[in-house]
Structures are given as C-alpha cells and as structure tokens.
Amino acid sequence: MLNHDLLPDEKGPQDECGVFGVWAPGEEVAKLAYYGLYAIQHRGQESAGIATSDGQRINVYKDMGLVSQVFDENTLNALTGHLALGHCRYSTTGASHWANAQPTLGATHDGTVALAHNGNLINTAELMEMVQAEQGDQMRGEIAQGNTTDTALVTALLRGREGETLEDTAMGLLPKLRGAFSFVFMTESTLYAARDPQGVRPLVLGRLDRGWVVASEQPALATVGASFIREIEPGELIAIDENGVRSRRFAEAKRAGCVFEYVYLARPDASINGRSVYESRVEMGRQLARENDAEADIVIPVPESGTPAAIGYAEESGIPFAHGFVKNAYVGRTFIQPSQTLRQLGIKLKLNALEPIIKGKRVIVVDDSIVRGNTQRAIVRMLREAGAAAIHVKISSPPIKWPCFYGIDFASRAELIANGATIEEITQSVGADSLAYISEDGMIGATEQPRERLCTACFTGDYPIPLPTSDRLGKNLLERSNGNPATEPEGGCDPGPDAEFESTLTDADRSATNA
C-alpha cells in the first residue's frame, strides 16, 4: 500500500530509518555517505544527516527533508575526513523536528561520539532513568537541547566512565537495550556497527578497494561500488579502523527478523539472510494465486510495492499481467499539496488509472497490505471510474491486526481495519467485488526462513521481545514525560505501506460510508 503522499494526516506503516557508515582513507567519504543514503531513502524521508571525521574532529550536518534537499555540493565538500556515517529518518521514538534529526552527537570521556539508529527501543523509560541517575537534574548534550529520541539516550549513555574506551562502554551498554536496533556510530578515529540480538532490522558489511562500508541494505553497498561481505550478526559489535575489521559478541543471537521487510520495507533488490526480497515477493504472489483464484481478464499491481507479487500472481494463474496505473515519480514531499477542497475535485497527483487497459475488464489488483483501508478505497474508486467491470483485491500479506513496536510506524490497533472487521466487511468497506489475503504459512514459506526466526507480531500479536507496560511504551514517551502533548501516533521509524498516497485521498476514501 502506498498512500503517504495521498493522505499526510493519516500515515500507515512507515519504514524505519536508514543508516550508512564508511571508513575509507583517501576517498570522499561524505559523498559516499550521500549516495549511500540516497539508495536507502525509502527507509526515511523526514530528515537526513551526515557526520565525518578527519581523525581529530567530528563534524555533523543535518536538517529536515530528503537527502537531496538537505545536502548540496558545497555542504558535502565541507564535510572532510576519512570516515563518515549517515542517517535518513522517519520518526520512531520522538516527534519529527530538527532537534530529533540524526546523527546524534555526544561527549565521551576521551572525545566525541556520533550515532545513527535504525529501529525502535522498547525500554526507553528505563534508559531515561539510567541517564538521570548519571546526569542528575542537569541534563547535557542533545537531551538538554530538546532531543526526545531513544537514540539520544543511547548517545548519552555511551559517555561511559573515565578510563573506559568507547568500545568497552558499548559492550556494557548494548546488552541492556531492548527492542530493535541497527546502530552505526563513530569516534574521531573508529567506525562501529551493532545489531540487536534478534536481528529485527537488516545491517550489512561491504568492502571498498580502500575501505569498508556498513549499511541498512545491500543496494546501498552496490550504489557506492562496495562488494557485499556479510550481514552483521544479531548480537554483534564490529569496529573498523586502520587495523581492519574486528568483531565482538555482546549477546547470543536469538533471530526474529521482521517478516515485513520481505513483504514491503526493503528494496526489492535487497537480500536478507540469504533470501532475495524480490523473489520472496514474486513467490508470495504465486502462493496468493494458489490459495485465492478468481476469474479475471488482467492482473495489475498497485505500484511499486505490489508489482513483484502481481507478476507472481499472473505467472501462477495464467491471467495476463498489465500495468493498470501510471505513477508520477516526481511528486515528492515538498510538492505543493492540494487543499481538501481541491482534493474533492479528484486531483490525482501520484497515481492515475489507465482507462484503455481497465475499461470493461475484470481486474485483479495486487497490493502488499491493508492498514486502515483508505488506500484500497481510493484504488478501487479509481478503477471504477476507469470502467472496470469487476475488481478483485488480492493482498500478499495476512491481515495486519497488531501495532509494531520495533520500528514500523503502523496505526494504533484500534485503527487497523482488520482488527475489528471481517473480510466480508472489509470488502464492502473498500468497495471491491472480492478481497483475499495470503495465508500466514504462505507468506512465511515465500521467505524461505524458519518461522521461529521471524517476527510476525503485526499479524499474530506474538512479540518476540517482551513489551513493557503501556505507560512505559510509545513513540512520544519522552514528550509525555516532559509535559508535552503527544502529537504523533505511536509506532516506529519506518514508513510503511499505508504512507505514499495519503495526501490526495478524498473524504470519501477516508470513510467507509461510501461502500
């Protein structure tokens, strides 16, 4: 589902964040970080930042906006050094404003640390108590400057004790963190990367001719010309400096990788735990066709996330594949969005149905997931207006019934349409002739991963990392503790499927009353 730009006030599952790090003497590391972030921009579009070091001093530049909006040639040329890290953010813990942009910067007893985080911690309240115990009433660093993220808390706790190296401090702190984290952090001379024991979010290591790269996904390695070496292991901390790469284990691996990475979050050209994301999605489409056939003339995807599954569905069913929508790739977050009055006129900024393909046809439309149902309502409306004779909606993931606390910004449980409605009721709500989801076994089988090594919490409610009580959980926990009202839904750091087309939905799309 892609409705982020269709409905700005009603975000669906959001991809977490993207992290990138490079240690490469003699290379333009800031520009490598820029291109690496550009490759994983889909993981966060609210802010971007890069930190570099020349061995003596760390410089950070960050701002709100896309990577291409935040940085220009002059800015990147000013970020000199031989190691760098970068971050593109979709807010997880903490609101979306400049003070919460990353990388975060903090003092240690022998220098400075910069840190970028992909994921979401669930013991934020406990970490805040640890920081308060160390700093007392006089908060320092980014926390004192208004940063309300779990990342700022980790940065503060990396200060450590006098005489202790940052690496040793990290080895003591990382086992105390609960939740999802793929960290890239650095001192003036060393680049580090760490991944939570469950390996919820991806993190990979790559090799340059004259250095090393770490990134959220393999496509970022390919973009900067790095060869893939391996994934950072769950529970592993690696350090990169002039002596090469060294590894330490801070916790036993207890794999529970996010299955939604295969369904939607990761780029299709990524590979996670040895399995191609694209091939997983195509197989989900094939399995969807095996489980839920329908008489139709064409199979079309909701672009772009539904395309691989639609290809698989068409292959398995023998029904011709067609492109039924044209997507305008140039409508970004800075585009002047129409007012609600203008949206009622049917302004279609992101997506247009191809009437010559659709008119008079029985259409199977394949999407990756349903969150609130608003995007599907808009899709069905557009197909009806284009003259479709029948519309059968096929979803390549099971019904989403539970929120994510590990880095995806889903709606609250009460807002998830599958949590309170039957399939028949959802079908009527979105206005389709029929609706079918893939089975949980079918989805998991397509990933070729053992069920016990995947997190399926958003579908099953089975959280592999035990959650704290509700009063110690939530995206705006630190804002609430500071007496500030919570202005954003609880959730994670990743823009999810219900997030791309939101800004052009009409009131009718937001309401089930038009069913």
Side-chain angles (χ1 to χ4, degrees):
M1 297 187 334
L2 311 106
N3 64 347
H4 183 64
D5 288 311
L6 280 167
L7 238 177
D9 298 325
E10 188 160 342
K11 298 174 183 175
Q14 301 290 319
D15 193 5
E16 34 202 276
C17 308
V19 295
F20 184 91
V22 55
W23 190 93
E27 301 288 357
E28 296 179 278
V29 291
K31 290 185 179 179
L32 289 176
Y34 172 86
Y35 293 123
L37 291 178
Y38 196 84
I40 51 177
Q41 180 75 85
H42 62 285
R43 300 192 77 93
Q45 300 95 39
E46 293 188 358
S47 65
I50 293 174
T52 62
S53 174
D54 58 5
Q56 303 296 320
R57 176 189 174 103
I58 293 178
N59 291 311
V60 178
Y61 187 87
K62 56 188 177 181
D63 208 344
M64 305 303 293
L66 301 173
V67 175
S68 59
Q69 296 164 343
V70 171
F71 297 99
D72 58 24
E73 192 86 23
N74 291 333
T75 305
L76 293 171
N77 287 338
L79 292 169
T80 58
H82 67 279
L83 70 158
L85 63 83
H87 186 268
C88 53
R89 180 175 191 255
Y90 178 84
S91 56
T92 12
T93 300
S96 178
H97 53 71
W98 186 89
N100 284 343
Q102 297 183 34
T104 54
L105 197 64
T108 67
H109 279 288
D110 59 357
T112 311
V113 61
L115 185 145
H117 175 199
N118 175 19
N120 193 53
L121 302 180
I122 60 173
N123 65 332
T124 301
E126 178 185 346
L127 298 177
M128 186 63 181
E129 290 162 0
M130 292 169 60
V131 171
Q132 290 170 336
E134 289 187 7
Q135 299 187 5
D137 295 332
Q138 297 297 317
M139 290 291 173
R140 298 187 294 268
E142 295 212 5
I143 298 175
Q145 298 166 13
N147 192 316
T148 56
T149 66
D150 50 2
T151 312
L153 298 178
V154 174
T155 305
L157 292 169
L158 284 173
R159 177 179 178 84
R161 295 186 293 268
E162 192 168 357
E164 185 178 59
T165 66
L166 176 70
E167 190 170 329
D168 289 337
T169 299
M171 287 295 294
L173 174 62
L174 292 171
K176 299 176 183 177
L177 306 180
R178 299 287 180 269
F181 60 86
S182 288
F183 289 139
V184 178
F185 56 106
M186 72 182 200
T187 63
E188 285 81 357
S189 59
T190 306
L191 181 70
Y192 298 92
R195 194 175 178 202
D196 66 79
Q198 287 72 29
V200 177
R201 300 293 155 210
L203 191 63
V204 296
L205 172 68
R207 187 75 164 100
L208 291 167
D209 288 341
R210 294 192 289 179
W212 299 88
V213 175
V214 291
S216 290
E217 295 183 26
Q218 282 179 243
L221 304 182
T223 297
V224 300
S227 57
F228 171 73
I229 299 300
R230 64 176 178 87
E231 292 191 4
I232 308 299
E233 289 294 314
E236 181 185 20
L237 169 69
I238 67 167
I240 304 172
D241 57 20
E242 66 273 8
N243 298 314
V245 178
R246 60 182 181 275
S247 170
R248 299 176 70 178
R249 181 162 289 282
F250 63 86
E252 177 186 354
K254 299 178 181 178
R255 283 189 179 271
C258 173
V259 72
F260 213 71
E261 293 280 354
Y262 294 96
V263 172
Y264 171 81
L265 293 180
R267 274 178 50 154
D269 52 342
S271 179
I272 301 174
N273 206 27
R275 174 60 167 165
S276 161
V277 169
Y278 178 83
E279 291 176 358
S280 295
R281 291 175 186 169
V282 172
E283 181 57 28
M284 287 174 196
R286 295 192 188 106
Q287 183 61 27
L288 187 58
R290 296 181 195 116
E291 296 177 358
N292 304 283
D293 60 353
E295 292 187 3
D297 301 304
I298 55 173
V299 176
I300 67 171
V302 176
E304 304 294 336
S305 60
T307 301
I311 290 171
Y313 193 104
E315 289 178 354
E316 185 68 25
S317 67
I319 301 171
F321 174 89
H323 288 287
F325 292 102
V326 174
K327 183 181 177 184
N328 187 346
Y330 297 98
V331 179
R333 282 175 152 309
T334 59
F335 192 88
I336 297 173
Q337 301 293 345
S339 65
Q340 182 57 31
T341 301
L342 290 175
R343 282 200 293 268
Q344 305 315 310
L345 298 177
I347 291 176
K348 302 177 182 67
L349 293 179
K350 291 288 285 190
L351 209 62
N352 291 80
L354 277 167
E355 185 173 333
I357 301 298
I358 301 301
K359 191 171 183 178
K361 302 287 179 56
R362 297 169 298 171
V363 178
I364 289 174
V365 57
V366 180
D367 207 350
D368 58 84
S369 56
I370 297 180
V371 183
R372 291 180 176 88
N374 298 327
T375 301
Q376 282 69 29
R377 203 169 290 123
I379 294 298
V380 170
R381 170 175 54 81
M382 283 189 264
L383 292 174
R384 294 280 186 215
E385 291 170 354
I391 302 168
H392 304 286
V393 176
K394 308 291 184 180
I395 304 298
S396 60
S397 64
I400 297 171
K401 296 184 177 181
W402 300 83
C404 176
F405 297 98
Y406 307 140
I408 310 176
D409 194 9
F410 283 118
S412 67
R413 192 178 182 207
E415 296 173 293
L416 296 170
I417 191 170
N419 180 52
T422 65
I423 290 181
E424 291 74 19
E425 289 170 337
I426 299 171
T427 305
Q428 182 180 10
S429 174
V430 302
D433 293 286
S434 71
L435 166 66
Y437 294 87
I438 193 173
S439 67
E440 185 184 333
D441 287 343
M443 173 189 66
I444 292 173
T447 71
E448 297 187 350
Q449 306 299 308
R451 176 184 291 268
E452 63 273 14
R453 300 181 73 179
L454 290 172
C455 174
T456 59
C458 58
F459 304 114
T460 64
D462 182 13
Y463 294 93
I465 310 169
L467 302 176
T469 57
S470 59
D471 61 322
R472 296 172 70 84
L473 189 65
K475 180 176 179 179
N476 299 96
L477 182 67
L478 299 185
E479 279 95 340
R480 296 200 306 266
S481 65
N482 289 338
N484 297 325
T487 56
E488 297 184 46
E490 293 183 0
C493 143
D494 288 308
D498 211 15
E500 187 172 352
F501 297 136
E502 295 185 355
S503 63
T504 53
L505 294 187
T506 68
D507 284 340
D509 298 327
R510 293 173 175 172
S511 170
T513 58
N514 68 320

